[in-house]
Amino acid sequence: MEGAAVRLRAFADRHETPSPCLLIDLPTLESTYRTMSHAFIGAEILYAVKANAAPGVITTLARLGAGFDVASLAEIELCLARGVPASRLSFSNPVKKRSDVAAAYERGVRTFAFDNPGDLRNIIVEAPGSKVFCRIQVTPPAAAMPFGAKFGCPEEAAPEMLAEAADRGLRPQGVTFHVGSQQRNLAAWDAGIAAAAKIAQMLEPEGVRLPVIDIGGGFPISYRERSATPDEFARAIDLSLARHFEPRDRPRLVIEPGRSLVGPSGMIRAEVVAVRGGVPADPRRWVFLDVGRYNGLVETENDTIAYRIHAPAGFGPEGPVVLAGPTSDGDDVLYKHTDYAMPLSLAPGDPIEVMDAGAYTSSYSCAAVNGLPALPTFCVPG
Ligand SMILES: Cc1ncc(COP(=O)(O)O)c(C=O)c1O
């Protein structure tokens, strides 16, 4: 994102943006969307709003034709307020109040996911005639952010619930699942696709057809480690679909990318608060930043996401550092096991950049740890 970084730096300087802040490069967002839709040609793309709900992000993706995967009434309101038609929203969180189902329906939302009989009942009553997906639990290879057992019913429970949905006037669309975020294994989607094919076969004798498969998000980006490209993931998923479905039964594909769409467009601009020498047991310098775990870099917890973090060019030779956030919390240390180096000349006030930071940063930052505000976002046009 070098061209983008130049543009973002110029914007930050011109507008004297506060530090820290997240800058989103809208031309990068647009080209990432185009790359994704070109790779997954013919698939419906629902952007997972939780990754970054900045108005400029929603408006840009809506203009490009994306739909939106929303997980709460607040996200629904946010999309509607940006002019997204309710018909392009899918309320995919199986954990929702009955009153939220009713409110979503009242606002025009007609697509829902469920994974349990209680939620299905709420949709039957409060959102009659809606399209529904049944979320199943999968056990994919390890991802940076796994979902564990929180979501999804056992595969065996899906046919009965989907048949009931059809019986009670809903329109079953298919199965959905999520393989965990920043999932770097090309084969991770195969088991879910196989399960969906089995469920579709079991429902056929009952006259229930499943025309769609929603394989969720999870597509990774390249932070410090290189990940496979959207093309490579699309090819692997296409092969899985061909392997598990007869050509005439092949469902339409829906994907719900969050991180892979918005991550590459973001850069956090931060600055050094203080530099402290190491101790005999650990001679690395400590570099304290004004951004940390609580105001934007939550995914550094357990060294989960190793961002590319650097000072812009011109600061000279580097040495090993421990990077820490600004709060009075002892856990606000970015990395405990991942090695980082920073220029030896670094001093308070110097700028720091965190690259590919568009996803799960501002949307996951806390509003009031030590009274610090949540990470502000600026969307930068080309
Ligand atoms: C249901 C659902 N779909 C899509 C996503 C987006 O995942 P990712 O950002 O890994 O693409 C999430 C993220 O948590 C999710 O819960």
Side-chain angles (χ1 to χ4, degrees):
M1 63 179 296
E2 245 344 278
V6 171
R7 192 161 43 235
L8 296 179
R9 278 178 210 130
F11 177 93
D13 292 343
R14 197 166 58 248
H15 293 270
E16 297 182 0
T17 53
S19 183
C21 72
L22 172 65
L23 300 157
I24 296 284
D25 188 62
L26 294 178
T28 301
L29 179 63
E30 180 160 347
S31 71
T32 308
Y33 179 85
R34 290 192 195 287
T35 302
M36 204 78 185
S37 55
H38 193 260
F40 288 91
I41 202 144
E44 184 181 356
I45 299 183
L46 303 178
Y47 168 63
V49 172
K50 69 189 273 201
N52 189 318
V57 171
I58 305 294
T59 319
T60 300
L61 293 174
R63 175 172 56 76
L64 294 170
F68 296 87
D69 159 31
V70 287
S72 67
L73 195 52
E75 288 186 352
I76 291 171
E77 300 281 19
L78 209 136
C79 289
L80 295 177
R82 303 317 300 176
V84 179
S87 58
R88 281 210 239 161
L89 305 183
S90 175
F91 198 166
S92 66
N93 188 351
V95 183
K96 51 192 172 302
K97 296 176 182 172
R98 179 172 166 169
S99 57
D100 289 342
V101 176
Y105 186 79
E106 197 180 293
R107 284 158 180 73
V109 177
R110 294 291 182 271
T111 306
F112 296 83
F114 65 87
D115 69 1
N116 66 86
D119 192 29
L120 173 58
R121 222 169 302 122
N122 291 342
I123 298 169
I124 290 168
V125 175
E126 303 293 353
S130 290
K131 297 178 178 174
V132 284
F133 287 85
C134 181
R135 182 154 172 182
I136 59 168
Q137 201 170 111
V138 285
T139 38
M145 288 284 179
F147 281 101
K150 182 172 176 186
F151 301 106
C153 63
E155 186 183 318
E156 310 76 56
E160 193 181 327
M161 286 196 283
L162 284 162
E164 187 189 349
D167 262 4
R168 304 289 301 271
L170 296 175
R171 290 176 287 159
Q173 297 299 289
V175 160
T176 184
F177 59 90
H178 199 296
V179 296
S181 198
Q182 186 69 5
Q183 171 59 262
R184 300 175 69 235
N185 189 320
L186 285 166
W189 285 260
D190 188 68
I193 291 171
K198 213 152 87 192
I199 292 164
Q201 261 176 16
M202 289 170 76
L203 282 166
E204 214 177 271
E206 308 205 30
V208 179
R209 278 209 63 244
L210 300 180
V212 187
I213 181 170
D214 179 341
I215 62 167
F219 309 104
I221 62 177
S222 295
Y223 291 103
R224 296 212 309 191
E225 289 180 317
R226 200 195 83 80
S227 296
T229 63
D231 270 339
E232 290 171 290
F233 281 99
R235 214 170 306 124
I237 286 161
D238 191 57
L239 286 174
S240 284
L241 287 167
R243 190 159 53 246
H244 298 297
F245 286 93
E246 295 295 331
R248 65 178 172 88
D249 297 328
R250 195 176 157 131
R252 290 197 313 279
L253 185 64
V254 174
I255 60 173
E256 300 177 352
R259 182 187 305 278
S260 57
L261 273 186
V262 76
S265 64
M267 176 175 103
I268 291 176
R269 243 280 289 191
E271 69 182 46
V272 176
V273 175
V275 181
R276 200 190 71 196
V279 292
D282 183 356
R284 293 174 298 175
R285 282 169 308 141
W286 282 69
V287 174
F288 299 89
L289 307 177
D290 59 2
V291 68
R293 180 182 298 182
Y294 299 103
N295 60 345
L297 297 178
V298 64
E299 290 200 319
T300 58
E301 191 168 349
N302 299 323
D303 293 46
T304 299
I305 297 294
Y307 293 100
R308 285 186 294 128
I309 304 178
H310 58 227
F315 280 86
E318 298 189 334
V321 291
V322 181
L323 293 171
T327 65
S328 62
D329 192 302
D331 264 346
D332 191 7
V333 174
L334 300 192
Y335 298 102
K336 305 225 163 94
H337 308 289
T338 313
D339 291 335
Y340 275 82
M342 285 282 158
L344 298 168
S345 65
L346 221 50
D350 285 343
I352 293 290
E353 294 172 346
V354 184
M355 311 307 281
D356 300 303
Y360 305 116
T361 47
S362 51
S363 61
Y364 276 32
S365 69
C366 303
V369 177
N370 293 149
L372 295 175
L375 187 68
T377 304
F378 297 88
C379 289
V380 180

